[in-house]
């Protein structure tokens, strides 16, 4: 099935789900135009980056936007492209299962075919939700998606054991494996472990858990998609990397213009007509 703007959210979720049968390379967008550019580049699906969405709206990362603002951003992104969009909903905008349910209902209404849901309730150093508490939140997300008409919504369960360096380093992989099993039982479709890029550990993890593993390729010089795939990873996302590249290019071009009075640093850029056209193309039929 080829997605169009008329494809239902659940049909897009079903299509997005099918991509996890092989290797899914998932660039992350932060607004309508970045999503349109990623689609033009050939992406089969797009993830949102909660941090980059927040930056674009003048806020720092870490649930500094509320549910309504994030859902509105997801709506703009999902309706700018035909491919499925999965929404980074951070920790769900509230600790209780009912909070997660309300968030899922909001992003499904916005057009999301999937979500990322963290087991971290706050900034680095905060204790993670217990496996049982997070499993209840995942089950609430699953039930809310069905009520909202998207039972095939792809739930990517993010665990921050490595990202927040929780506990004894020697026991972190075992903790992730245990959480993965509990999260899968509750309805998670895949597992995201930011902060884990050790290929040997990823091989062990992907062999031990019952659901596909998402790894983040966030910086130049890190493991390539091919290396991660060889380690058994089935989904590779880039987080804030594309937004960081775009903002860095803007910084460097502005610095050069202010210093030299020319725009040589913008050579090769897309024209205003190209960008305007990306925002005005007719809906596919």
């Amino acid at each position: 099935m080829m997605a169009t703007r008329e494809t239902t959210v659940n049909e897009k979720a079903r299509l997005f789900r099918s991509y996890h049968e092989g290797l899914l390379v998932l660039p992350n967008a932060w607004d309508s135009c970045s999503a349109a550019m990623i689609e033009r580049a050939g992406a089969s699906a797009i993830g949102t980056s909660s941090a980059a969405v927040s930056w674009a709206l003048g806020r720092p990362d870490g649930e500094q936007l509320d549910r309504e603002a994030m859902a509105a951003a997801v709506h703009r992104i999902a309706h700018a492209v035909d491919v499925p969009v999965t929404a980074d909903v951070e920790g769900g905008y509230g600790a209780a299962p009912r909070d997660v349910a309300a968030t899922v209902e909001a992003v499904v209404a916005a057009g999301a075919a999937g979500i990322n849901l963290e087991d971290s309730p706050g900034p680095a150093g905060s204790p993670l939700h217990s496996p049982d508490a997070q499993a209840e939140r995942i089950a609430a997300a699953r039930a809310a998606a069905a009520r909202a008409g998207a039972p095939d919504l792809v739930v990517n369960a993010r665990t921050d054991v490595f990202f927040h360096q929780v506990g004894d380093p020697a026991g972190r992989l075992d903790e992730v494996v245990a959480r993965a099993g509990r999260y899968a039982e509750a309805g998670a479709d895949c597992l995201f472990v930011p902060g884990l890029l050790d290929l040997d550990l990823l091989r062990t993890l992907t062999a031990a858990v019952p659901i596909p593993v998402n790894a983040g390729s966030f910086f130049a010089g890190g493991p390539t998609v091919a290396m991660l795939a060889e380690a058994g990873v089935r989904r590779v996302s880039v987080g804030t990397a594309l937004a960081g590249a775009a903002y860095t290019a803007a910084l460097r071009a502005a610095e050069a213009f202010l210093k030299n009075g020319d725009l040589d640093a913008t050579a090769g850029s897309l024209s205003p007509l190209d960008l305007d056209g990306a925002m005005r193309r007719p809906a596919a039929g």
Side-chain angles (χ1 to χ4, degrees):
M1 179 185 74
M2 180 177 292
T4 71
R5 293 187 187 184
E6 285 72 39
T7 305
T8 69
V9 172
N10 197 58
E11 287 170 338
K12 285 191 174 181
R14 194 176 302 126
L15 178 62
F16 185 51
R17 179 177 295 275
S18 74
Y19 293 155
H20 294 76
E21 296 169 7
L23 174 65
L24 173 61
V25 179
L26 189 68
N28 297 80
W30 58 97
D31 62 12
S32 297
C33 197
S34 63
M37 295 302 100
I38 290 168
E39 182 181 49
R40 181 182 293 189
S44 59
I46 294 170
T48 70
S49 162
S50 63
V53 168
S54 295
W55 299 338
L57 295 175
R59 298 290 184 87
D61 189 20
E63 295 199 18
Q64 298 300 303
L65 292 180
D66 61 19
R67 177 186 296 119
E68 291 72 23
M70 188 60 75
V74 171
H75 182 276
R76 290 190 293 272
I77 291 168
H79 287 77
V81 296
D82 290 333
V83 299
V85 170
T86 182
D88 182 350
V89 299
E90 306 187 78
Y93 306 102
R98 65 178 178 275
D99 298 319
V100 174
T103 297
V104 169
E105 290 166 0
V107 296
V108 168
I115 61 165
N116 277 19
L117 180 64
E118 303 170 10
D119 59 10
S120 174
S126 300
L128 304 186
H129 292 293
S130 72
D132 286 344
Q134 184 65 2
E136 289 181 13
R137 286 157 41 84
I138 290 168
R142 184 91 273 153
R147 288 195 303 272
D152 291 306
L153 184 86
V154 177
V155 177
N156 190 29
R158 167 175 158 168
T159 181
D160 280 344
V161 170
F162 277 85
F163 189 68
H164 285 177
Q165 301 181 23
V166 174
D168 181 355
R172 285 175 190 157
L173 189 65
D174 288 342
E175 176 68 15
V176 168
V177 171
R179 284 177 176 267
R182 188 73 184 87
Y183 296 172
E185 290 172 358
D189 299 295
C190 41
L191 177 74
F192 182 29
V193 193
L196 176 57
L197 286 174
D198 181 293
L199 295 174
D200 289 334
L201 291 181
L202 282 170
R203 287 188 190 94
T204 301
L205 177 65
T206 57
V209 301
I211 49 181
V213 171
N214 179 172
S217 182
F218 297 152
F219 51 88
T224 65
V225 170
M227 294 165 68
L228 292 168
E230 188 278 330
V233 170
R234 297 253 294 278
R235 170 167 159 166
V236 182
S237 52
V238 299
T240 63
L242 298 185
Y247 292 135
T248 300
L251 171 64
R252 290 175 178 166
E255 287 175 337
F257 176 59
L258 291 168
K259 179 179 179 180
N260 304 321
D262 62 51
L263 290 173
D264 291 352
T266 67
S269 297
L270 292 168
S271 74
L273 288 176
D274 284 329
L275 295 170
D276 198 47
M279 296 295 94
R280 294 187 178 183
R281 63 190 182 91

